[in-house]
Amino acid sequence: MQNQGKWRQTLDMIGASSTPAHRYHMSGLSVRSGIVLPMQTDHRPDAAPVDVTIELGDVPDRLNEFTHRGANWWSNADHCLLILPGIGRFLASGGRQLTVMPDPGIAVDDLVVFITGTVMSAVLYQRGAFLLHASAVVHDGRAYVFCGSSGAGKSTLSAALVRAGCEFLSDDLCSIRHSADAPPLVEADGRTLRLYDDSIRTLGLADAVGARVRQQIEKFYVEPPSGSGLRAGSVPLGAIYMLGDANPTHPEGLTRLPPLDAAQALLRESYRRRLALAYSAKGALAARTATLLKYTGVFACHRRRDLSRLDEGVDLLMSHWKGLS
């Protein structure tokens, strides 16, 4: 009874339900969650059977057997345990189950950013997914992916491209599906944009701002400017761009990377790279990178990090796409 009371208080505190009832589409998977997530809700009448369930529950404080570990996570073939003091414990199991045990007093915003990011990536890696730390848009039926470290401008560039007529596809985490004999596809996703206040003002998106990504930072969930609904399917991959700052060594512009540099860049931009390496055997990371490069160009995109010149980057990319086969 005491344990039930504790969970009842936790559920009330973060606005969650003991029965997963909210439906989302994440990285090509149908997800049912007991916690409201800052994403587009999947209202499609043809929504597929549930692939992943997110629910509150007891999470152990250790994995007795693990093959890989980081500063606050441990993993084996079927489980990945993440412990964040002051936030909670998270357990990804078998590529199908994500269990969350919040710490007392935690704000829901500080909880869900890890559910939709690091822990969901563990679920996806357990299923053999290929993930990039990237945002993506669609233009003329092809997906264009923008990789870069946090603060590189992935989300802002994607929002500017959507404002210029592209369709929003994914933000921060991009799942690519491909086989040895077929062109790669970028999985449809229901995540919204995540933008800092200066980007929101520059893009004129103040009316589309939602909750903070985390309590401590001036970054917000923002509805894509197109207002488009949830995509029904995946999109053929057109090209991948590695965002970087322009400087005397790397002047502004686009440069196609040679295969070895491209392979290294893709590994470097794997989402939560150490987790990707922990599950690299299941995902056949090296082989899939080689296959990806058979079909897709990877380009360095060096720009001035200046919001007043954002439209120049948009024009550069759209001109580039006209020349791609």
Side-chain angles (χ1 to χ4, degrees), residues 198-281:
D198 55 352
S199 294
I200 292 169
R201 289 196 304 272
T202 300
L203 292 161
L205 294 175
D207 292 340
V209 172
R212 285 176 183 264
V213 173
R214 295 199 67 185
Q215 294 298 303
Q216 301 89 344
I217 59 176
E218 292 290 323
K219 192 173 188 180
F220 301 86
Y221 295 104
V222 179
E223 287 293 323
S226 63
S228 58
L230 194 62
R231 286 196 64 87
S234 51
V235 183
L237 177 58
I240 299 174
Y241 298 87
M242 300 292 168
L243 301 185
D245 290 336
N247 54 48
T249 304
H250 300 292
E252 292 179 83
L254 304 173
T255 307
R256 182 162 187 157
L257 296 177
L260 180 57
D261 291 349
Q264 292 174 334
L266 290 173
L267 174 60
R268 185 173 62 249
E269 298 302 340
S270 296
Y271 191 84
R272 301 296 183 262
R273 182 173 49 181
R274 293 191 64 185
L275 267 180
L277 292 172
Y279 289 100
S280 61

Side-chain angles (χ1 to χ4, degrees), residues 3-300:
N3 199 44
Q4 290 178 359
K6 180 188 72 174
W7 282 112
R8 183 69 262 165
Q9 290 177 353
T10 303
L11 297 176
D12 292 342
M13 178 181 65
I14 64 173
S17 167
S18 57
T19 302
H22 309 282
R23 191 77 174 253
Y24 303 100
H25 196 64
M26 300 171 69
S27 301
L29 301 179
S30 181
V31 177
R32 192 184 296 275
S33 173
I35 302 172
V36 176
L37 302 178
M39 305 179 60
Q40 299 177 74
T41 302
D42 190 352
H43 294 300
R44 297 172 301 163
D46 60 343
V50 173
D51 298 302
V52 177
T53 300
I54 301 172
E55 61 184 4
L56 295 173
D58 288 317
V59 173
D61 60 4
R62 58 182 296 178
L63 281 184
N64 291 326
E65 296 181 4
F66 58 88
T67 56
H68 297 78
R69 65 167 299 173
N72 50 14
W73 60 271
W74 298 258
S75 72
N76 57 37
D78 293 322
H79 301 285
C80 181
L81 171 66
L82 175 69
I83 299 179
L84 300 173
I87 295 177
R89 302 179 192 169
F90 307 82
L91 183 67
S93 305
R96 302 191 61 83
Q97 179 76 31
L98 198 165
T99 308
V100 182
M101 184 175 178
D103 281 355
I106 183 66
V108 67
D109 293 345
D110 287 336
L111 194 68
V112 298
V113 69
F114 295 101
I115 295 173
T116 58
T118 302
V119 193
M120 190 62 197
S121 75
V123 171
L124 291 162
Y125 281 132
Q126 288 170 353
R127 301 174 70 98
F130 184 94
L131 306 177
L132 292 175
H133 188 194
S135 299
V137 301
V138 180
H139 181 70
D140 284 346
R142 305 187 77 181
Y144 296 97
V145 173
F146 307 100
C147 297
S149 57
S150 296
K154 302 182 294 295
S155 303
T156 300
L157 179 59
S158 294
L161 284 163
V162 172
R163 191 180 61 173
C166 297
E167 183 182 359
F168 176 68
L169 184 58
S170 184
D171 189 33
D172 198 53
L173 192 163
C174 202
S175 179
I176 299 176
R177 172 164 52 96
H178 55 290
S179 59
D181 55 358
L185 301 169
V186 180
E187 299 280 17
D189 192 87
R191 290 174 178 79
T192 57
L193 287 159
R194 304 192 307 179
L195 295 171
Y196 287 103
D197 194 49
D198 55 352
S199 294
I200 292 169
R201 289 196 304 272
T202 300
L203 292 161
L205 294 175
D207 292 340
V209 172
R212 285 176 183 264
V213 173
R214 295 199 67 185
Q215 294 298 303
Q216 301 89 344
I217 59 176
E218 292 290 323
K219 192 173 188 180
F220 301 86
Y221 295 104
V222 179
E223 287 293 323
S226 63
S228 58
L230 194 62
R231 286 196 64 87
S234 51
V235 183
L237 177 58
I240 299 174
Y241 298 87
M242 300 292 168
L243 301 185
D245 290 336
N247 54 48
T249 304
H250 300 292
E252 292 179 83
L254 304 173
T255 307
R256 182 162 187 157
L257 296 177
L260 180 57
D261 291 349
Q264 292 174 334
L266 290 173
L267 174 60
R268 185 173 62 249
E269 298 302 340
S270 296
Y271 191 84
R272 301 296 183 262
R273 182 173 49 181
R274 293 191 64 185
L275 267 180
L277 292 172
Y279 289 100
S280 61
K282 184 168 287 189
L285 184 60
R288 295 176 74 177
T289 298
T291 301
L292 184 66
L293 294 176
K294 284 173 50 181
Y295 292 98
T296 308
V298 178
F299 301 85

